[in-house]
Amino acid sequence: MSESSEIKHSIERRDVLKALMLAPVAGAMLASTGCAWVSESNKQPTRWTRLPTQYSYARTDVEKQRDAELFAETFFREHELVTIAVLCDIILPSDHENGGALAAGLPDFVEFMAKDREHYKLPLRGGVAWLDNYSLDNFGARFVEADIEQQLAICDAIAYPDVQDEALQPGIAFFSLMRNMTLTGYYTTELGFRDLGYVGNTPNIWDGVPDEVLARHGKTYDAEWLTKCVDQSRRNITAEWDDEMNLIT
Amino acid sequence: MADKEYDIIVVGSGAGGGMATYQLANAGLTVALVEAGGFYDPAADEQRTQLRNPWESPRRGASTRRRPFGDYNACIGGWDLDGEPYTQKGDTEFMWWRGRMLGGRTNHWGRISLRFGPLDFKRRDIDGLGENWPIGYEDVKPYYDKVDKLIGVFGSNEGLYNDPDGFFLPAPKPRLHELYYIDGARKLNVPVYPARKSMLTKRINDQRGVCYYCGQCSRACSIHADFSSSTALIYPALRGGKVDLYTDSMVREVITDASGKATGVSYINKKDKKEYALKGRIVVLAASACSSARILLNSKSAQHENGLGNSSGHVGRYLHDSTGASRAAFLPELMNRDIYNEDGVGGMHVYTPWWLENAALDFPRGYHLEIGGGMGMPSYGFGFAANQYNEYLGKRVGGYGNGLRDDIRRFYGARLSIACRGESVPQFDNYCELDPTVVDEWGIPVLRFNYQWTDYEINQAKHMQDSMEALLEASGGILLGDKPGVERNYGLAKPGEIIHEVGTTRMGLDPKTSVTNEFGQLHDANNVFVVDAGTFVSQADKNPTWTILALSWRASDYIAEQMKQQNI
Ligand SMILES: Cc1cc2nc3c(=O)[nH]c(=O)nc-3n(C[C@H](O)[C@H](O)[C@H](O)COP(=O)(O)OP(=O)(O)OC[C@H]3O[C@@H](n4cnc5c(N)ncnc54)[C@H](O)[C@@H]3O)c2cc1C
Ligand code: SF4
């Protein structure tokens, strides 16, 4: 039995999941589709936004070639990728107006980063295997095939770095890595920008901290300092100085 | 063009080479500018990384071996170049950053543009260590003045003796975290001033744009509002018609004749991998301090057995970098802050120059403080350890679910950091030399580094750590991480890591202990000049580039004058 048919087979036995399929969302651009995937159960993903596999952003030829090689490679086995999807979805759920990890295409992002940074490969692969071992030991099923309550119980055990239990440390390390990847992968998309309320990265005129913000923090610009600062109404007037180094325009 | 004899051959197009090309071409001389990297212009969309969103990169801006400072950083090059290794002697851990592109490292530098002060040229007179420069502030001041006006630098005139005033553009207003720092510093009587950096907060001419505050100068500015050698000096020089630009051309050696004078350079064209020669009356080296030393050491001949300019054995000696250490704090008062666009110019708007007297301290030279923080654009790494500051709020770290979104918002931009940059004491025993066996892919012997910090730098780093702790706490910060102790050299950066390589061909009056005269002219060959930071006798607690630019202009004036008088 090939691995993917094995997953489908085991999943077909479960009623909650009608179709755990990795169907790409056709033509869906990253994050522009919000919740592009549909799920029968809120905790079990069926689909996620597929990320582009072609990028164009000022790369040198060697960089282009390397990225093409990375995209040509497949690292995760299907079961691993699905496990990552389920975990990402628990970390940043989809039941939110700004979408969650799956709408942001997290599994594809994790796959790419694992290929880009060799040192992620083993912790991610080993982490998924640890999770399955732990789940089998405790619930008799691999993580993705466990009930949602069981999955959450596992996450509760490994989601907090202050837990001292030695046996759980590999799981805690893996969960921390997955939380990092999920948050970074989400907040670097349009969905994440919206969720954060990020408003930078665009031409503008910086003219200091808004007054109401200054007031809220009990700060002021002192008058002497302001005399050294740019008068934005004169920014386009060509600079000239007198011989004493004073700007006169 | 092969048979053409140029008046001037300039090797390397960074700060030193760009300025020499611009000045010498404007003086009516023909110039060949030979650059190992490719053509680069951030205004061309196919080379623009500025204003791109993180999702335009599959790795969301994460660093790679070929982009060590992130996927959008404007450096083509870095610590580790394909086919161009360098080696270390013993337990040396020198880090060598190289830009391989038109404009060199000025495409992605921090633009912190500080004049050296009068004391900085005469440190031996003060502490008895190292050597004085053969020139003083008064010799360089007219050139600093001209550089300010030609290139543009914002700042403020504060009347500080060793941090001299300049022809400044007006400064951008401080950001919120910088206001916290200002208040903290004032509580401790530590001075703080507007930063001095070469972004155009005001128009200086019709060719270059005026800053629109995207905060991304390290990606290089598509409207040419920050200083890069290429955008501010080389393009204008190319328009003048006196300059032939050779890109992807790696100079192997300076060719000399039987009299020991230079006749030109040989270079490898990286495209066809063949070697070519260029003829020139004057050779001006500006390949960066270590690369120029490498070219000289590789230019061996009967007249120059130890390498060109190296009769003193001083080429490569006295290599030194700035010292560096940093620390960060969580600023609870900035939790749940209002979000607005505070990108500003790339990097800090305020800084603290060296404010103490070394006589009262257990180390000889000073350092300045660079302030960091703010609501940066999310890119790879954002959200790592998302709620680690919960620790200080009595809440649990870790977890999962939509609550993480609140954590991210709560702690966004609630950080203040300080980086110190200081002056080290140049040592004869810190040097680069040719590796006896290793060559690069072009067959050219590579550099091997020998470098150890001394107690001067280590004690200074200890002091940096104390200062940073006091300032961060006075600003309302809760210190993050552990304070590095003696076992980690107090957090002192590795040599080379601060990327201010200087000193390898130092200037001086005595040909036995220096490589060039005060104009960067080799003692051993009067038609070969060095105009990068190789000529620095000492580095000051300032970043080097404004001084490279001023000295390159000064050397160029001298070259043009000497040629007119037919002395060279
Ligand atoms: C991230 C970063 C931040 C920095 N921040 C600051 C700052 O805020 N303030 C400051 O003052 N300085 C800063 N610096 C340092 C500053 O960039 C350098 O001091 C300055 O660029 C040095 O100019 P240069 O002309 O000596 O050499 P470079 O700018 O390094 O240029 C040398 C050029 O020579 C070429 N070259 C090398 N070898 C050969 C060869 N054999 N043949 C042909 N060409 C060759 C290289 O490809 C390169 O283009 C920073 C540097 C970096 C990397
Ligand atoms: S901050 Fe200003 S100078 Fe820097 S890249 Fe943006 S627009 Fe250009």
Side-chain angles (χ1 to χ4, degrees), chain B residues 11-16 34-36 69 97 99-101 104-106 108-112 249-251 286-288 291 295 499-500 532 543-545 548:
Chain B
V11 180
S13 64
V34 192
E35 165 56 50
F69 289 170
W97 180 281
R100 280 280 179 272
M101 57 202 301
R105 289 176 286 161
T106 66
H108 47 272
W109 68 308
R111 274 94 181 170
I112 300 168
S249 301
M250 178 86 183
V251 169
S288 83
S291 286
I295 293 169
I499 323 185
H500 296 160
D532 54 37
N543 315 51
T545 308
I548 298 176

Side-chain angles (χ1 to χ4, degrees), chain A residues 30 51 55-60 62-63 66-67 70-71 90-96 98-101 104-105 109 112-113 116-117 120 152-153 155-156 159-163 175 179-181 183-190 193 195-210 212-214 216-222 224-226 228-232 234-247 249, chain B residues 45-49 51-60 62-64 66-67 71-73 76 82 115 141 145 148-149 155-158 165-176 179-180 182-183 186 192-194 201-206 210-214 216 219 333-334 337-344 349-350 375-387 396-402 404-405 408-409 412:
Chain A
L30 167 60
L51 299 181
Y55 292 78
S56 161
Y57 64 112
R59 293 301 85 184
T60 62
V62 279
E63 287 173 319
R66 177 173 145 78
D67 283 358
L70 293 180
F71 279 114
I90 290 172
I91 292 170
L92 213 53
S94 306
D95 57 351
H96 190 276
N98 294 323
F109 174 68
F112 181 83
M113 288 315 297
D116 194 39
R117 304 198 144 183
Y120 280 153
L152 294 184
C155 290
D156 286 337
Y160 299 92
D162 61 0
V163 170
F175 197 90
R179 185 175 42 236
N180 286 348
M181 297 299 282
L183 291 174
T184 221
Y186 174 79
Y187 281 99
T188 50
T189 64
E190 272 177 288
F193 272 26
D195 196 75
L196 180 64
Y198 178 73
V199 289
N201 193 29
T202 183
N204 73 106
I205 304 290
W206 166 254
D207 203 16
V209 181
E212 64 279 12
V213 178
L214 284 175
R216 209 161 295 147
H217 289 267
K219 299 282 177 198
T220 46
Y221 283 115
D222 64 52
E224 196 224 328
W225 194 298
L226 285 184
K228 304 167 187 172
C229 293
V230 56
D231 172 355
Q232 295 294 8
R234 305 176 70 77
R235 55 191 254 107
N236 261 311
I237 304 171
T238 304
E240 286 171 41
W241 297 263
D242 65 17
D243 292 342
E244 306 298 300
M245 296 179 157
N246 298 307
L247 184 71
T249 55
Chain B
D45 206 50
E46 63 278 10
Q47 293 190 303
R48 176 186 61 85
T49 55
L51 293 180
R52 292 198 187 271
N53 286 308
W55 55 87
E56 292 178 71
S57 146
R59 55 182 67 74
R60 312 288 166 81
S63 65
T64 64
R66 293 195 177 94
R67 300 263 176 179
D71 220 18
Y72 289 127
N73 187 266
I76 295 167
D82 295 317
R115 297 178 178 213
K141 178 186 184 298
D145 289 353
D148 286 359
K149 289 178 180 171
S156 59
N157 287 334
E158 305 289 348
D165 293 346
F167 289 88
F168 289 121
L169 301 170
K173 289 180 188 167
R175 306 177 180 93
L176 189 54
L179 292 176
Y180 277 90
I182 291 172
D183 287 350
R186 286 182 174 165
V192 48
Y193 303 107
T201 53
K202 190 173 170 69
R203 182 167 295 286
I204 61 160
N205 60 34
D206 294 338
V210 182
C211 175
Y212 54 55
Y213 302 100
C214 71
Q216 297 171 25
R219 300 184 182 192
E333 290 186 57
L334 289 185
R337 58 188 298 186
D338 301 275
I339 293 182
Y340 49 91
N341 184 336
E342 63 159 15
D343 289 347
H349 291 183
V350 311
M375 297 185 281
M377 176 166 29
S379 84
Y380 185 81
F382 182 92
F384 278 24
N387 55 17
R396 211 165 176 204
V397 174
Y400 58 87
N402 283 326
L404 290 172
R405 299 174 196 263
I408 292 273
R409 271 285 290 110
Y412 178 52

Side-chain angles (χ1 to χ4, degrees), chain B residues 514-559:
Chain B
S514 61
V515 178
T516 79
N517 69 8
E518 59 170 291
F519 298 104
Q521 185 176 29
L522 293 192
H523 294 306
D524 295 349
N526 72 357
N527 68 341
V528 180
F529 289 77
V530 180
V531 298
D532 54 37
T535 62
F536 283 31
V537 178
S538 59
Q539 153 99 295
D541 51 47
K542 323 277 163 60
N543 315 51
T545 308
W546 223 242
T547 302
I548 298 176
L549 290 163
L551 292 179
S552 177
W553 192 333
R554 185 168 184 267
S556 301
D557 279 0
Y558 176 80
I559 292 170

Side-chain angles (χ1 to χ4, degrees), chain B residues 50 199-200 211-217 220-221 223 225-226 344-346:
Chain B
Q50 186 200 23
M199 295 88 169
L200 302 184
C211 175
Y212 54 55
Y213 302 100
C214 71
Q216 297 171 25
C217 307
C221 185
I223 56 163
D226 57 12
V345 303

